[in-house]
């Protein structure tokens, strides 16, 4: 299905009804969800995007995987999708893998191999339906390699998957990125039963040399903080600067962000946009 997916135009997905998934996050929901109809993620260069779906229950998971702990991550998303699926009923588990390219350091290829192995090790049968990764998602321009697809969305009602980009990556984009930059593990951000998005509580130590990094020019940031400096989307550096600024402002999140150790909880409002319903007293 790689050819089919690559040939589709990239759709701009607006925030209404969207649950955006950042790197090292995952979310699972079902077609019965009254709040979320689209799961999406983008800005994947060497990362891979995974959609895991049970055809019986329609339970659908999207995650943005960077190879930090692939085997544990695959087990986690498998159990989360199966928790919505009646194992005695009909249907099968289907997986779609998208992302990566022929990068110099072969990080994409390594991640592709890790993911295939991790799914292979699962006790359940998983059917690989879409395989649009690494060399199958690669384009070359003046001897420089780029991914063809950087982002995807999945419609949880229809199971349609398509290349996508997202003008809004919130809520709490900087907070969630800071969590990743400080070494987070894969985190489930959504509770489909209550239709609530949970962010945090997250804790980290002061980011080392944050002032030094913020003083560097764009080229230095690209060279040192990207896995693929030549293939990043144009907003990569501003996104990293924004995250570093957030980390500088919040060296101790237990004081400034989560003093009561409670998550920030969002629900979709009438317009289909996320609204904060509960947060820490900070």
């Amino acid at each position: 299905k790689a050819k089919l997916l690559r040939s589709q135009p990239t759709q701009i997905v607006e925030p209404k009804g969207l649950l955006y998934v950042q790197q090292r996050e995952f979310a699972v929901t079902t077609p019965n969800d009254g709040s979320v109809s689209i799961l999406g993620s983008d800005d994947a260069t060497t990362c891979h995007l995974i959609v895991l779906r049970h055809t019986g229950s329609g339970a659908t998971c999207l995650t943005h995987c960077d190879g930090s702990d692939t085997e544990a991550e695959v087990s986690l998303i498998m159990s989360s999708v199966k928790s919505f699926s009646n194992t005695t009923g009909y249907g099968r588990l289907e997986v779609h893998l998208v992302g990566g390219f022929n990068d110099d350091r072969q990080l994409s290829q390594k991640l592709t191999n890790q993911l295939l192995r991790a799914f292979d090790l699962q006790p359940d049968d998983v059917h690989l339906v879409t395989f649009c990764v690494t060399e199958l998602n690669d384009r070359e321009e003046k001897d420089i390699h780029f991914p063809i697809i950087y982002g995807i969305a999945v419609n949880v009602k229809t199971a349609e998957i398509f290349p996508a980009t997202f003008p809004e990556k919130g809520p709490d984009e900087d907070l969630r990125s800071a969590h990743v930059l400080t070494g987070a593990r894969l985190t489930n951000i959504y509770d489909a039963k209550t239709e609530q998005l949970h962010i945090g509580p997250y804790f980290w130590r002061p980011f080392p040399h944050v002032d030094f990094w913020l003083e560097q020019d764009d080229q230095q940031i690209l060279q040192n903080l990207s896995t693929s400096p030549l293939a990043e989307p144009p907003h990569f550096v501003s996104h990293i600067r924004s995250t570093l600024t957030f980390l500088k402002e919040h060296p101790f999140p237990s004081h400034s962000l989560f003093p009561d150790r409670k998550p920030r909880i969002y629900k979709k409002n009438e317009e289909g946009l996320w609204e904060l319903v509960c947060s820490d007293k900070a």
Side-chain angles (χ1 to χ4, degrees):
K1 276 205 186 173
K3 212 170 184 177
L4 186 66
L5 195 64
R6 287 194 313 251
S7 66
Q8 291 180 34
T10 301
Q11 296 183 36
I12 295 169
V13 178
E14 296 301 337
K16 187 177 179 177
L18 165 70
L19 170 47
Y20 184 83
V21 175
Q22 282 206 29
Q23 190 171 332
R24 274 191 229 165
E25 292 180 342
F26 75 96
V28 190
T29 192
T30 72
N32 308 325
D33 195 315
S35 304
V36 169
S37 50
I38 301 263
L39 300 175
S41 190
D42 64 356
D43 294 345
T45 52
T46 55
C47 289
H48 288 14
L49 306 168
I50 306 170
V51 175
L52 181 66
R53 185 172 180 275
H54 190 276
T55 59
S57 66
T60 304
C61 173
L62 174 71
T63 187
H64 185 134
C65 198
D66 60 9
S68 52
D69 192 2
T70 307
E71 222 166 282
E73 291 171 355
V74 166
S75 296
L76 193 53
I77 64 171
M78 285 286 290
S79 58
S80 63
V81 168
K82 281 159 57 184
S83 71
F84 286 92
S85 313
N86 180 357
T87 44
T88 56
Y90 69 98
R92 64 181 200 170
L93 286 161
E94 295 186 342
V95 70
H96 308 263
L97 302 178
V98 182
F101 67 109
N102 282 340
D103 64 283
D104 292 346
R105 293 158 64 188
Q106 295 192 308
L107 295 171
S108 300
Q109 186 62 61
K110 190 177 163 198
L111 180 52
T112 298
N113 296 347
Q114 282 178 357
L115 283 167
L116 289 174
R117 179 177 153 75
F119 278 108
D120 197 38
L121 288 170
Q122 293 301 314
D124 305 84
D125 282 342
V126 186
H127 299 264
L128 180 60
V129 178
T130 307
F131 191 65
C132 184
V133 289
T134 309
E135 71 267 30
L136 296 171
N137 190 44
D138 184 79
R139 68 181 180 87
E140 209 177 322
E141 209 176 291
K142 296 177 186 151
D143 292 337
I144 298 171
H145 290 264
F146 298 88
I148 297 168
I149 298 172
Y150 282 87
I152 56 167
V154 55
N155 182 320
V156 294
K157 316 280 185 205
T158 65
E160 182 199 3
I161 294 173
F162 51 92
T165 181
F166 309 89
E168 300 269 333
K169 303 179 202 289
D172 288 329
E173 186 183 354
D174 285 338
L175 167 57
R176 291 156 72 184
S177 299
H179 183 229
V180 176
L181 210 55
T182 53
R185 296 186 107 138
L186 186 68
T187 306
N188 182 7
I189 56 167
Y190 189 62
D191 181 346
K193 291 183 176 64
T194 59
E195 299 185 7
Q196 290 179 336
L197 178 67
H198 293 236
I199 305 298
Y202 296 149
F203 305 107
W204 54 74
R205 293 200 174 94
F207 194 77
H209 316 299
V210 69
D211 290 320
F212 167 81
W213 287 116
L214 282 166
E215 284 163 10
Q216 301 311 301
D217 61 24
D218 291 4
Q219 204 48 42
Q220 283 297 326
I221 285 181
L222 261 176
Q223 287 302 327
N224 291 285
L225 297 178
S226 165
T227 55
S228 51
L230 298 173
E232 291 294 354
H235 52 265
F236 174 83
V237 172
S238 60
H239 168 75
I240 290 285
R241 284 193 192 283
S242 179
T243 308
L244 288 168
T245 303
F246 186 87
L247 284 165
K248 182 183 162 121
E249 286 165 3
H250 299 283
F252 299 104
S254 57
H255 300 169
S256 61
L257 296 167
F258 299 104
D260 292 342
R261 310 285 192 270
K262 288 194 180 81
R264 294 168 63 79
I265 299 174
Y266 292 85
K267 263 184 104 74
K268 288 284 192 186
N269 62 16
E270 307 262 302
E271 284 81 56
L273 306 176
W274 293 116
E275 205 165 79
L276 190 64
V277 292
C278 178
S279 77
D280 228 322
K281 293 184 175 63

